[in-house]
Amino acid sequence: MALQSIYSNLLGLVAFICAVPVLAVARAVIRLSSRGPALISEQYAGMKGIPFMASRLRCTEIDHPLRVTTAGRWIRALHLEYLPRIGNVVRGEMSLVGPAPVRLEFAEHLSALIPVYRQRQTVKPGLTGWTQIQTTEQDLPDAIREVESDLYYTKHMSVALDAYILLHALRGVLPFLEE
């Protein structure tokens, strides 16, 4: 885990430096195209259940959270919605690879329903993870399968597995890396 923290922080810092101009443009586009804040911040359960705040770019209307804005469509198509979370990686609250962060109220509820749920919190939440590369957007959310997948990751966590997950995640975001 210590090794993961080191390379996550270093790669996160490089990614943060590269992401600052992209985030500035995205925030400006959001602010110019619709009223309301460009970022939405929420509290998530981190490692050992310790709460932390994480942000995402707003892709929906303030008054109608299910209505995606034009700018939001582009942001989602370019996979930029969660780019601000790189700051959480640099601060050490998140890792590049790990179980997806879950909002605090949902984590508490799922912990009461699923006995082994808290075991997924033995590692830092990640920007991407084993669960994310194993499921597609067409798959229906299934909390039990996600927990199983997250527990697989926590049991087999290694530099090689992290590299594999990062490469697969990049292939999904950067289509020119496809075979």
Side-chain angles (χ1 to χ4, degrees):
M1 262 207 266
L3 185 58
Q4 184 191 45
S5 289
I6 292 169
Y7 66 76
S8 279
N9 286 349
L10 289 175
L11 291 173
L13 185 60
V14 171
F16 184 76
I17 291 167
C18 296
V20 167
V22 175
L23 283 170
V25 170
R27 288 178 71 170
V29 168
I30 291 168
R31 292 298 305 249
L32 292 172
S33 66
S34 64
R35 62 182 182 80
L39 292 176
I40 295 174
S41 296
E42 295 169 319
Q43 197 170 40
Y44 291 85
M47 186 173 171
K48 298 180 184 172
I50 298 169
F52 70 97
M53 294 298 288
S55 299
R56 63 183 169 85
L57 293 169
R58 182 176 57 84
C59 295
T60 58
E61 296 286 344
I62 285 292
D63 300 335
H64 304 282
L66 298 177
R67 189 180 303 159
V68 179
T69 63
T70 305
R73 273 192 223 68
W74 281 99
I75 287 168
R76 285 183 177 170
L78 295 170
H79 304 281
L80 299 176
E81 185 174 5
Y82 297 106
L83 196 58
R85 291 186 182 172
I86 292 175
N88 295 94
V89 173
V90 174
R91 285 193 301 268
E93 299 163 332
M94 290 180 68
S95 180
L96 290 174
V97 178
V102 176
R103 288 197 358 224
L104 193 58
E105 62 270 19
F106 296 136
E108 290 169 355
H109 184 68
L110 289 169
S111 294
L113 294 174
I114 304 169
V116 295
Y117 187 81
R118 289 208 188 271
Q119 290 180 359
R120 72 185 292 283
Q121 295 174 338
T122 59
V123 296
K124 290 179 185 177
L127 294 178
T128 190
W130 184 250
T131 304
Q132 288 81 3
I133 68 166
Q134 296 297 313
T135 58
T136 64
E137 289 182 23
Q138 290 77 30
D139 291 339
L140 293 174
D142 181 352
I144 300 291
R145 275 199 205 127
E146 288 178 6
V147 170
E148 287 175 352
S149 185
D150 290 340
L151 293 179
Y152 174 87
Y153 174 77
T154 61
K155 182 177 180 181
H156 297 92
M157 186 173 128
S158 67
V159 175
L161 183 58
D162 283 3
Y164 177 83
I165 292 168
L166 284 171
L167 287 173
H168 276 274
L170 284 173
R171 285 176 60 190
V173 174
L174 304 172
F176 60 85
L177 291 177
E178 287 291 325
E179 297 169 289

